[in-house]
Amino acid sequence: MLPPRLIAFVSLPLLALAAAGCSTEPSQRPDTLVDLATVQSGPRVQADELNGAIASKPRNTALLARRATLRLAAGQPSAALADVAAALEIDETAGNLYFLQARAFRALGQLPAALAAARQAAQYGFSGPELPLLVGETHLAARNYTAALDNLDRTLRLDPDQPAALFYKGLAYAATADTSTAVQYLQDALARDPRQPEILHQLAFLLNAWRVPADAARYAALGMKLDTTSGLLSYDYGRQLELRGRPDSALWYYRRALALDTTVYRADYRLGLAAAKERRPAAVIEHLQRALRRNPRLPQARALLAEALESQNRLPEALAQFRRLVAENPGNTHWTFKVWKTNERVQALLPDSLRPTPHYYYRRPASPPRLEPISPISSLKPSAG
């Protein structure tokens, strides 16, 4: 199976760089519906059971490492990091402890610290495919694709059938817009781990973006059988329906995707576009506001949202969106005019006491010509003669 950290990593928006309309947000679930709280309590309970043993043997690094591993599995990376730090104070040359530290930093999203700890793990003799896999995945999260591919290749030299390495290579090629190579690596990963919903989601997503909806439908349908709670797979299935000319059925799956997972912003985006076509501005606002909070660069979304807000007479909010459009499209006379016009309407709604004083521009009249002083008249004297 893929390593547990796959769940945390693939929530990053990697495939947004891959192809038009792409985005990745993964989900990894068991084959049947179970109580997730019960599943998570397993390693937590086991970690707590080690408290007494560690209290009686506080310098036992093996016990500390075991509890750190369980805390990582239970989704407690900060607590795991504290255990690793305590163990390293006792033995600062244990490579396995630095590897655990790297995993904890990675789970916390501290990518430079994770890479530094991984280098120390290698320096102190930790070897095996797990280390280059972690380093490759961390570089991938940092969008350093060359280093990611180098480390994933190193992983595959140590373990040629490692599905996680093949999966991450697929993501790396997708992020660099090499969709055909990405699909090939994802299919290789699926061949080695055929019941992994996340691989099926990524394949369906890429194939939809590549406009091959029939193949995307096959992968999405299989994924939904394996994971009935994945909003992403529901979105994938809806998208292939839309591409095949069945928009009403697609909208049903988009709504289902949001019911399962409110973070699937592309379902909101598609529902917002459909509402704009049907001239339902309230629905446009509802869906596109949520979608733009997660991805502010969705095509046409901000323009449709601004115009829907304007049509609903929510002028201050519309003005804020029009100003964003001007900032994103400098020199666009249409949005510049919209800002001026909407601002005039907003000002007109204000009470007189809050309305800014208008500025009037006029030409100052020319000053009258300055008169020269009159010279004194010399006195007239009678001439002699």
Side-chain angles (χ1 to χ4, degrees):
M1 295 293 288
L2 298 181
R5 61 180 176 276
L6 172 63
I7 301 174
F9 165 68
V10 289
S11 62
L12 296 173
L14 276 174
L15 292 188
L17 304 177
C22 283
S23 159
T24 61
E25 287 183 80
S27 161
Q28 184 178 10
R29 299 282 191 268
D31 295 344
T32 56
L33 277 173
V34 296
D35 186 346
L36 294 181
T38 303
V39 172
Q40 292 180 355
S41 69
R44 289 182 186 176
V45 170
Q46 294 175 52
D48 292 341
E49 288 173 348
L50 291 173
N51 292 346
I54 291 173
S56 63
K57 297 179 181 179
R59 297 186 62 81
N60 188 317
T61 57
L63 288 174
L64 288 167
R66 173 63 179 160
R67 190 168 69 179
T69 303
L70 289 169
R71 283 178 166 173
L72 274 174
Q76 299 174 308
S78 296
L81 205 55
D83 279 342
V84 172
L88 285 172
E89 288 181 2
I90 301 165
D91 182 3
E92 61 179 12
T93 63
N96 66 308
L97 293 177
Y98 288 107
F99 177 68
L100 279 174
Q101 187 180 55
R103 289 182 57 199
F105 279 131
R106 174 63 191 94
L108 291 168
Q110 299 179 26
L111 306 186
L115 292 172
R119 285 192 293 270
Q120 288 182 293
Q123 178 184 344
Y124 288 110
F126 187 87
S127 60
E130 300 88 354
L131 183 59
L133 178 64
L134 174 63
V135 173
E137 185 262 355
T138 304
H139 278 300
L140 185 55
R143 302 188 180 188
N144 186 353
Y145 304 121
T146 301
L149 289 170
D150 287 345
N151 282 278
L152 294 171
D153 285 336
R154 190 173 298 117
T155 304
L156 290 169
R157 283 195 293 272
L158 296 170
D159 182 1
D161 292 323
Q162 171 56 258
L166 294 166
F167 174 83
Y168 290 133
K169 283 196 73 172
L171 292 188
Y173 280 111
T176 56
D178 189 346
T179 307
S180 59
T181 305
V183 169
Q184 182 61 59
Y185 274 107
L186 290 172
Q187 287 174 335
D188 290 345
L190 185 66
R192 289 160 177 80
D193 191 358
R195 297 184 63 79
Q196 177 51 249
E198 178 53 31
I199 301 175
L200 292 161
H201 156 59
Q202 299 293 353
L203 276 167
F205 196 91
L206 273 179
L207 289 166
N208 276 331
W210 213 14
R211 296 297 193 271
V212 190
D215 290 347
R218 179 165 52 89
Y219 290 120
L222 180 57
M224 287 191 297
K225 289 180 181 177
L226 295 173
D227 184 357
T228 59
T229 65
S230 172
L232 288 161
L233 285 162
S234 290
Y235 170 79
D236 295 332
Y237 198 80
R239 182 69 179 130
Q240 64 83 22
L241 287 170
E242 184 176 3
L243 291 171
R244 297 169 86 173
R246 297 172 58 187
D248 292 340
S249 298
L251 294 178
W252 187 91
Y253 278 96
Y254 294 154
R255 294 188 189 99
R256 175 174 171 77
L258 288 172
L260 293 169
D261 184 353
T262 58
T263 68
V264 186
Y265 68 88
R266 287 198 174 272
D268 267 319
Y269 175 58
R270 297 291 169 190
L271 288 167
L273 294 181
K277 289 181 181 179
E278 297 168 2
R279 299 185 182 278
R280 294 187 292 115
V284 172
I285 294 168
E286 175 192 357
H287 291 295
L288 293 187
Q289 276 185 332
R290 283 203 302 258
L292 285 167
R293 278 197 293 269
R294 294 190 172 273
N295 185 348
R297 304 296 294 177
L298 290 168
Q300 298 182 313
R302 194 171 304 282
L304 292 173
L305 174 60
E307 290 170 351
L309 289 165
E310 183 183 28
S311 72
Q312 296 293 94
N313 211 34
R314 294 166 61 170
L315 298 180
E317 295 170 83
L319 178 59
Q321 297 299 330
F322 285 135
R323 284 174 171 159
R324 289 284 299 271
L325 286 164
V326 168
E328 293 169 4
N329 304 275
N332 186 299
T333 56
H334 175 72
W335 300 127
T336 303
F337 172 78
K338 280 288 191 179
V339 167
W340 173 78
K341 189 65 176 178
T342 309
N343 185 59
E344 290 286 312
R345 294 176 65 190
V346 169
Q347 299 301 326
L349 294 174
L350 294 174
D352 291 342
S353 58
L354 296 178
R355 194 176 304 169
T357 303
H359 297 283
Y360 297 104
Y361 298 94
Y362 59 91
R363 184 182 296 276
R364 183 188 297 273
S367 301
R370 185 176 179 182
L371 299 177
E372 295 294 330
I374 300 175
S375 302
I377 301 175
S378 57
S379 58
L380 298 177
K381 294 182 181 180
S383 59

